Amino acid sequence: MTLSEELQWRGFVNQTTFSKLSALDSPGINFYFGVDPSADSMQIGNLAAAMMVKTFAKHGHNAFLLVGGATGLIGDPDGKAQERNLQSKEQIEANKRAIAEQYKVIFGSLEFTLVDNYDWFEDMHFLDFLRDVGKHVPMRQMLARDFVQTRLGENGSGISYAEFSYVLIQAYDFLHLHIKNNVTLQLCGSDQWGNSIAGVDLIRRVTSNEAHVYSMPLIINKATGKKFGKTEDGAVWLDRHKTSPTKFYQFWVNVDDAGVEDYLKVYTELEKQEIEEILRKHHEKTSARFGQTCLAEQVTSLVHGTHEMEIAKSITRILVGDTPIGEASDNVIAAMRNEIPYLQTTSNCSLIDVLTQVGLATSKSEARRLLDNNAISINGSKTSEEKLTLGNFHNNRLLIRRGKAFKDSALVELQK
């Protein structure tokens, strides 16, 4: 499969300045993709773009991954209704290091060049920037941007000169990399099309050379019609301290049936035949969530490694009742303590007290109502008993659940 064919099959095609996608099929193009270090981790939206970039690299193109230390100090105003809060240079530096490490994990053995636009902006004088960049960018072009019109409109919040100038900084990134590294292509998400085109125009005006942009579409949750990757708890992060490997795994296990094919194509490196076979098995019994499980295994292994994926998978199987709590290994139990409430207690203790202590009930009266309403289960079996007995414990542990959602679970262990 050629690059242009794979990009179309995986759903990575949105807009491009190339007249034909087949122009990408000959290897050796120097391209760049940039991300601002506005946080100390990428989210799964960034991961989708990284997988597109990785596809280009696998087909023999040369990747320059830009972590924007300079642009990060300002923040992209596009799509923002309010002025961003500026972060300190120290925080931006920490964010850059964290994102760079995540790129290394995602790209594995594939080669790429990491660059930082702070390196070429650090010693640039303001007058030089106005002469070398500002002189070549028409004000009409900048004022025509949708976000500028919105912010300057009747009900807009206004815009600072710093955010207004953001597009100039990003355009110069493309020009700098073009002159220094012969970069002729920028990859971006659909929301960065305007900023990227500004770079193409600047290169043409300054050097008379041709450059191109290629963008991928926004990943949409087909079940909701909203941007993919947002949950009730917020963004899904690649950093294990922001989204644990288990919660990360469970996010993928719970994605919608309508989108599972798209997510397998975007977020994994599985070949066409492999995905078709997964989908065939998935559609035989969609309730078994075979497609989601394969997706969760692939993406969690990529981001967190196979070992963490196996632990996350084991915890999930316990929480949904597929694996008895008594069969869990010590390292799985240790990880579970970080995922759900847990309590150490003695046998023959009050289940009502346990429910309140682990937060499954707010009071003893609520705990009694839950028991009376058959809403509490122990190791997968409903109970109305108000006391635990030694027989409830399997290998000195048990799992309590309130209702059907496995997030409303708690681990109880016998004191040693």
Side-chain angles (χ1 to χ4, degrees), residues 33 42 45-55 103 106-107 216:
F33 174 80
M42 290 191 281
N46 305 117
L47 178 60
M51 297 303 286
M52 173 193 64
V53 174
K54 193 174 181 181
T55 303
Y103 269 134
I106 294 167
F107 275 71
M216 68 171 288

Side-chain angles (χ1 to χ4, degrees), residues 179-196:
I179 293 171
K180 184 177 180 181
N181 303 104
N182 193 32
V183 170
T184 58
L185 171 64
Q186 180 178 359
L187 306 188
C188 65
S190 58
D191 60 336
Q192 288 294 308
W193 179 259
N195 287 343
S196 303

Side-chain angles (χ1 to χ4, degrees), residues 301-364:
S301 294
L302 172 67
V303 174
H304 295 294
T306 304
H307 177 70
E308 293 288 353
M309 182 278 291
E310 291 291 352
I311 290 177
K313 182 178 179 180
S314 296
I315 292 174
T316 302
R317 287 182 60 82
I318 291 167
L319 292 178
V320 300
D322 289 341
T323 300
I325 187 71
E327 296 180 7
S329 63
D330 289 342
N331 62 338
V332 169
I333 291 297
M336 280 188 70
R337 296 188 191 113
N338 295 320
E339 298 296 333
I340 61 175
Y342 81 97
L343 178 70
Q344 290 188 335
T345 186
T346 58
S347 60
N348 299 314
C349 64
S350 166
L351 178 54
I352 289 175
D353 288 340
V354 169
L355 288 170
T356 56
Q357 289 178 54
V358 297
L360 294 182
T362 58
S363 65
K364 290 184 178 182

Side-chain angles (χ1 to χ4, degrees), residues 76-124:
D76 186 359
D78 202 351
K80 303 295 180 183
Q82 302 289 331
E83 189 87 8
R84 286 175 177 266
N85 293 322
L86 298 181
Q87 297 189 51
S88 68
K89 290 183 179 180
E90 292 75 19
Q91 184 60 58
I92 292 293
E93 188 63 36
N95 294 350
K96 286 192 303 185
R97 290 193 298 268
I99 290 173
E101 290 302 313
Q102 289 178 343
Y103 269 134
K104 292 176 184 177
V105 170
I106 294 167
F107 275 71
S109 60
L110 280 175
E111 292 187 1
F112 65 91
T113 301
L114 191 71
V115 293
D116 178 2
N117 57 13
Y118 189 76
D119 292 340
W120 52 83
F121 275 108
E122 181 180 13
D123 297 322
M124 181 176 287

